[in-house]
Amino acid sequence: MSAPVHDEGRPGPWQDAERYGVPGARQKARQGGGRGAGQDAWQDPQPFLRGVAWLDKGRPVRADPADTMRLPWDTGERATLPIGVRLEFTTETARAVEIRYRATVPGPTDALRDLAHGFALWDRHGVVGEVFTEPAAEAVVRIGLGAGDGPFHGPFTLHPPENQSPLVLGLRGIGGPLSPAPPAPRWVVHGDSITEGWWSTRPAHGWPAVAGRALGWDTVNLGYAGAARGELATAEQLAGLPADILTLAFGTNCWSRVPFSAPLLYETTRAFLELVRQGHPRTPLLLVSPVLRPDAERTPNKLGATLGALRDAMERAARDRIAAGDDRLAVLPGRELLGPEHLADGLHPNDSGHQVLGLAVATALRRAGFGAG
């Protein structure tokens, strides 16, 4: 039986892949992934993938599959979701793109059953089109590249859904082949559920995606909901992961999920930065301290620390390192970046909050002179 095809829905609001752990990607880009592909032929997705940290048996994952035993359970669970993984391409003659994919089909009691399963196509101006469908063991979706007859050259970014762990099996241009988009600086972002994009209504609306578009960078999202508490095993994984720019944005879960004192978070931040720097001694690095959390700002946790005190400890740890000579490190204080109106639930930003936060981070990176924005 052939896979079902879902037509376009309503419109809505590898670089050097071998360097990043994809053996043979350069050859695949020349053969199956680029202009050599035949008319309307399925193309290997690997040369088109962006936002990939590691591959585990061909599936993008967000923690080192060779080093999972040292990670907390919640980090490992979130790392299996392909947050921020997307496809980027250009074309000369294609009018639409089809994506063949495989996803987990949720059961009747699955807590994620009702989450929208949508594919969104963007160009440099915004959303081109969206398709909403149901998770399937295997299916095909089609999205038009624009209104009228074109031509539509791109570059285009296709954001698959992140729930139900979809795996892209192939893509093809309808009317002509697709080519991988040009390489971009690789920006690795580590944080908690806010970085993962919670309460944004689309994968493309999370703040790392917003900032990455503004800067023209390849965003690799290592946000782990409920986790990101300064785990030193994560710092060592970041040290071994290729990156042109780094951003750290954790801390709010150190107030509640696993309570820290201010001195403990100060030393943890110092140790985390030291371990990251062992693999990235001169890589531009921005530390973003926790954003507004009204219920925690002046409320002591079980170790007597308010979020305000924890935020101050993180910022002091980074600034002490800068004073000691790390001139490729910058700090963006998070307290004033968002207001209560930007929070969907008193903790996680809404779409507007993610937009504000993403642009604030992009501005801070530019002002620090980091990368090729």
Side-chain angles (χ1 to χ4, degrees):
M1 176 182 288
S2 61
V5 177
H6 302 283
D7 289 330
E8 181 178 357
R10 64 184 183 278
W14 180 241
Q15 55 206 64
D16 187 354
E18 286 177 340
R19 177 184 173 198
Y20 301 131
V22 186
R26 193 175 299 156
Q27 181 179 4
K28 289 178 181 178
R30 286 198 300 265
Q31 296 176 351
R35 299 175 187 276
Q39 177 83 358
D40 294 359
W42 286 108
Q43 296 178 250
D44 186 336
Q46 282 193 353
F48 298 87
L49 287 174
R50 301 295 184 269
V52 176
W54 294 272
L55 291 175
D56 185 12
K57 299 177 182 177
R59 181 181 291 274
V61 294
R62 299 185 304 120
D64 186 350
D67 187 33
T68 57
M69 294 301 292
R70 294 194 303 147
L71 297 174
W73 178 87
D74 49 10
T75 302
E77 280 290 294
R78 302 310 298 180
T80 64
L81 295 176
I83 305 297
V85 176
R86 60 207 183 277
L87 301 161
E88 296 190 354
F89 62 91
T90 63
T91 185
E92 295 296 329
T93 58
R95 303 179 306 277
V97 60
E98 287 189 342
I99 308 96
R100 191 172 85 250
Y101 74 98
R102 184 177 297 144
T104 302
V105 179
T109 61
D110 193 317
L112 302 180
R113 181 178 181 84
D114 295 330
L115 288 180
H117 199 70
F119 293 75
L121 183 69
W122 287 63
D123 64 12
R124 60 169 54 97
H125 304 294
V127 179
V128 174
E130 294 183 308
V131 171
F132 293 92
T133 183
E134 296 296 326
E138 186 170 334
V140 174
V141 296
R142 177 183 292 190
I143 307 179
L145 301 186
D149 297 327
F152 312 111
H153 298 308
F156 294 99
T157 300
L158 195 145
H159 294 269
E162 296 170 340
N163 56 304
Q164 310 306 338
S165 300
L167 176 65
V168 177
L169 303 174
L171 74 164
R172 64 181 175 185
I174 304 303
L178 310 175
S179 298
R186 180 175 164 92
W187 178 39
V188 175
V189 186
H190 168 60
D192 48 38
S193 57
I194 296 171
T195 296
E196 194 176 277
W198 276 39
W199 285 102
S200 62
T201 59
R202 304 285 191 278
H205 294 180
W207 75 258
V210 170
R213 278 196 302 275
L215 294 162
W217 293 351
D218 176 10
T219 305
V220 179
N221 188 320
L222 301 185
Y224 307 127
R229 300 171 294 261
E231 290 86 356
L232 299 186
T234 295
E236 291 187 300
Q237 292 194 8
L238 290 172
L241 189 64
D244 298 308
I245 307 97
L246 291 158
T247 294
L248 307 177
F250 62 90
T252 194
N253 288 332
C254 298
W255 178 77
S256 56
R257 290 276 292 184
V258 176
F260 278 56
S261 66
L264 176 57
L265 188 53
Y266 175 88
E267 293 298 339
T268 298
T269 303
R270 283 173 59 90
F272 198 99
L273 290 169
E274 175 60 30
L275 289 172
V276 171
R277 278 295 187 227
Q278 289 179 15
H280 294 282
R282 297 292 297 164
T283 303
L285 194 160
L286 177 69
L287 183 139
V288 185
S289 63
V291 298
L292 174 69
R293 183 173 177 176
D295 68 329
E297 292 298 331
R298 298 182 181 179
T299 304
N301 65 11
K302 292 181 179 179
L303 292 179
T306 66
L307 184 61
L310 295 175
R311 183 185 295 115
D312 178 69
M314 288 189 70
E315 294 171 6
R316 283 190 296 108
R319 290 190 173 116
D320 285 353
R321 185 177 181 92
I322 294 169
D326 191 341
D327 61 355
R328 302 293 280 170
L329 173 63
V331 177
L332 176 60
R335 173 62 178 83
E336 303 300 328
L337 298 180
L338 300 179
E341 71 277 11
H342 296 127
L343 303 179
D345 60 351
L347 170 59
H348 301 96
N350 52 30
D351 278 348
S352 175
H354 277 286
Q355 178 78 6
V356 169
L357 182 54
L359 295 180
V361 171
T363 298
L365 287 162
R366 287 193 184 106
R367 286 178 176 170
F370 290 170

mmCIF file of all heavy atoms in Angstrom, residues 287-305:
data_model
loop_
_atom_site.group_PDB
_atom_site.id
_atom_site.type_symbol
_atom_site.label_atom_id
_atom_site.label_comp_id
_atom_site.label_asym_id
_atom_site.label_seq_id
_atom_site.Cartn_x
_atom_site.Cartn_y
_atom_site.Cartn_z
ATOM 1 N N LEU A 287 25.955 33.987 27.590
ATOM 2 C CA LEU A 287 25.170 33.426 28.682
ATOM 3 C C LEU A 287 23.957 34.320 28.920
ATOM 4 O O LEU A 287 24.103 35.518 29.151
ATOM 5 C CB LEU A 287 26.001 33.308 29.958
ATOM 6 C CG LEU A 287 25.269 32.651 31.142
ATOM 7 C CD1 LEU A 287 26.187 31.695 31.890
ATOM 8 C CD2 LEU A 287 24.722 33.697 32.116
ATOM 9 N N VAL A 288 22.754 33.727 28.843
ATOM 10 C CA VAL A 288 21.506 34.439 29.100
ATOM 11 C C VAL A 288 20.983 33.949 30.452
ATOM 12 O O VAL A 288 20.676 32.763 30.618
ATOM 13 C CB VAL A 288 20.457 34.169 28.006
ATOM 14 C CG1 VAL A 288 19.211 35.010 28.241
ATOM 15 C CG2 VAL A 288 21.037 34.455 26.621
ATOM 16 N N SER A 289 20.883 34.850 31.416
ATOM 17 C CA SER A 289 20.383 34.447 32.735
ATOM 18 C C SER A 289 18.863 34.305 32.693
ATOM 19 O O SER A 289 18.209 34.743 31.739
ATOM 20 C CB SER A 289 20.818 35.446 33.802
ATOM 21 O OG SER A 289 20.263 36.720 33.558
ATOM 22 N N PRO A 290 18.247 33.670 33.701
ATOM 23 C CA PRO A 290 16.806 33.373 33.643
ATOM 24 C C PRO A 290 15.937 34.613 33.415
ATOM 25 O O PRO A 290 16.189 35.680 33.974
ATOM 26 C CB PRO A 290 16.524 32.750 35.011
ATOM 27 C CG PRO A 290 17.825 32.131 35.410
ATOM 28 C CD PRO A 290 18.879 33.073 34.896
ATOM 29 N N VAL A 291 14.909 34.432 32.585
ATOM 30 C CA VAL A 291 13.953 35.502 32.326
ATOM 31 C C VAL A 291 12.968 35.581 33.493
ATOM 32 O O VAL A 291 13.007 34.772 34.433
ATOM 33 C CB VAL A 291 13.213 35.280 30.992
ATOM 34 C CG1 VAL A 291 14.197 35.301 29.833
ATOM 35 C CG2 VAL A 291 12.417 33.972 31.002
ATOM 36 N N LEU A 292 12.088 36.553 33.410
ATOM 37 C CA LEU A 292 11.121 36.807 34.469
ATOM 38 C C LEU A 292 10.306 35.559 34.808
ATOM 39 O O LEU A 292 9.777 34.884 33.923
ATOM 40 C CB LEU A 292 10.178 37.928 34.032
ATOM 41 C CG LEU A 292 8.994 38.230 34.964
ATOM 42 C CD1 LEU A 292 9.497 38.851 36.266
ATOM 43 C CD2 LEU A 292 8.001 39.159 34.256
ATOM 44 N N ARG A 293 10.173 35.297 36.112
ATOM 45 C CA ARG A 293 9.281 34.264 36.634
ATOM 46 C C ARG A 293 8.659 34.838 37.898
ATOM 47 O O ARG A 293 9.221 34.735 38.986
ATOM 48 C CB ARG A 293 10.056 32.984 36.930
ATOM 49 C CG ARG A 293 9.185 31.840 37.421
ATOM 50 C CD ARG A 293 9.977 30.557 37.533
ATOM 51 N NE ARG A 293 9.163 29.474 38.080
ATOM 52 C CZ ARG A 293 9.562 28.216 38.215
ATOM 53 N NH1 ARG A 293 10.773 27.879 37.813
ATOM 54 N NH2 ARG A 293 8.758 27.299 38.735
ATOM 55 N N PRO A 294 7.499 35.481 37.785
ATOM 56 C CA PRO A 294 6.964 36.265 38.900
ATOM 57 C C PRO A 294 6.843 35.521 40.226
ATOM 58 O O PRO A 294 7.109 36.089 41.294
ATOM 59 C CB PRO A 294 5.590 36.709 38.378
ATOM 60 C CG PRO A 294 5.761 36.774 36.897
ATOM 61 C CD PRO A 294 6.657 35.622 36.570
ATOM 62 N N ASP A 295 6.457 34.247 40.207
ATOM 63 C CA ASP A 295 6.260 33.534 41.467
ATOM 64 C C ASP A 295 7.566 33.193 42.165
ATOM 65 O O ASP A 295 7.568 32.814 43.348
ATOM 66 C CB ASP A 295 5.450 32.255 41.239
ATOM 67 C CG ASP A 295 6.208 31.208 40.429
ATOM 68 O OD1 ASP A 295 7.028 31.596 39.567
ATOM 69 O OD2 ASP A 295 5.989 30.007 40.657
ATOM 70 N N ALA A 296 8.698 33.336 41.459
ATOM 71 C CA ALA A 296 9.981 32.903 42.011
ATOM 72 C C ALA A 296 10.934 34.049 42.302
ATOM 73 O O ALA A 296 11.944 33.841 42.981
ATOM 74 C CB ALA A 296 10.657 31.933 41.040
ATOM 75 N N GLU A 297 10.631 35.238 41.802
ATOM 76 C CA GLU A 297 11.606 36.324 41.888
ATOM 77 C C GLU A 297 12.023 36.625 43.322
ATOM 78 O O GLU A 297 13.211 36.835 43.603
ATOM 79 C CB GLU A 297 11.043 37.589 41.229
ATOM 80 C CG GLU A 297 10.874 37.492 39.726
ATOM 81 C CD GLU A 297 12.178 37.261 38.987
ATOM 82 O OE1 GLU A 297 13.240 37.699 39.485
ATOM 83 O OE2 GLU A 297 12.144 36.646 37.907
ATOM 84 N N ARG A 298 11.070 36.656 44.253
ATOM 85 C CA ARG A 298 11.376 37.000 45.643
ATOM 86 C C ARG A 298 10.973 35.901 46.622
ATOM 87 O O ARG A 298 10.948 36.131 47.833
ATOM 88 C CB ARG A 298 10.669 38.307 46.016
ATOM 89 C CG ARG A 298 11.125 39.485 45.166
ATOM 90 C CD ARG A 298 10.431 40.758 45.593
ATOM 91 N NE ARG A 298 10.852 41.901 44.774
ATOM 92 C CZ ARG A 298 10.401 43.139 44.914
ATOM 93 N NH1 ARG A 298 9.497 43.403 45.870
ATOM 94 N NH2 ARG A 298 10.831 44.094 44.132
ATOM 95 N N THR A 299 10.686 34.734 46.089
ATOM 96 C CA THR A 299 10.256 33.615 46.936
ATOM 97 C C THR A 299 11.417 32.659 47.136
ATOM 98 O O THR A 299 11.955 32.126 46.162
ATOM 99 C CB THR A 299 9.087 32.866 46.274
ATOM 100 O OG1 THR A 299 8.023 33.790 46.010
ATOM 101 C CG2 THR A 299 8.592 31.748 47.173
ATOM 102 N N PRO A 300 11.823 32.409 48.388
ATOM 103 C CA PRO A 300 12.929 31.476 48.620
ATOM 104 C C PRO A 300 12.528 30.041 48.269
ATOM 105 O O PRO A 300 11.404 29.612 48.526
ATOM 106 C CB PRO A 300 13.221 31.615 50.112
ATOM 107 C CG PRO A 300 12.583 32.908 50.520
ATOM 108 C CD PRO A 300 11.393 33.079 49.637
ATOM 109 N N ASN A 301 13.466 29.308 47.685
ATOM 110 C CA ASN A 301 13.246 27.885 47.455
ATOM 111 C C ASN A 301 13.644 27.094 48.703
ATOM 112 O O ASN A 301 13.861 27.683 49.779
ATOM 113 C CB ASN A 301 13.998 27.408 46.207
ATOM 114 C CG ASN A 301 15.520 27.500 46.356
ATOM 115 O OD1 ASN A 301 16.056 27.732 47.438
ATOM 116 N ND2 ASN A 301 16.218 27.322 45.248
ATOM 117 N N LYS A 302 13.756 25.787 48.597
ATOM 118 C CA LYS A 302 14.017 24.960 49.781
ATOM 119 C C LYS A 302 15.403 25.189 50.372
ATOM 120 O O LYS A 302 15.657 24.792 51.513
ATOM 121 C CB LYS A 302 13.825 23.486 49.434
ATOM 122 C CG LYS A 302 12.372 23.127 49.141
ATOM 123 C CD LYS A 302 12.218 21.653 48.814
ATOM 124 C CE LYS A 302 10.760 21.300 48.547
ATOM 125 N NZ LYS A 302 10.576 19.865 48.211
ATOM 126 N N LEU A 303 16.282 25.825 49.611
ATOM 127 C CA LEU A 303 17.609 26.156 50.127
ATOM 128 C C LEU A 303 17.745 27.651 50.400
ATOM 129 O O LEU A 303 18.848 28.160 50.593
ATOM 130 C CB LEU A 303 18.695 25.688 49.148
ATOM 131 C CG LEU A 303 18.843 24.167 49.013
ATOM 132 C CD1 LEU A 303 19.932 23.818 48.009
ATOM 133 C CD2 LEU A 303 19.140 23.523 50.359
ATOM 134 N N GLY A 304 16.610 28.354 50.382
ATOM 135 C CA GLY A 304 16.613 29.756 50.757
ATOM 136 C C GLY A 304 16.978 30.731 49.672
ATOM 137 O O GLY A 304 17.156 31.926 49.944
ATOM 138 N N ALA A 305 17.062 30.271 48.401
ATOM 139 C CA ALA A 305 17.463 31.152 47.303
ATOM 140 C C ALA A 305 16.255 31.597 46.499
ATOM 141 O O ALA A 305 15.422 30.767 46.100
ATOM 142 C CB ALA A 305 18.458 30.449 46.386
#
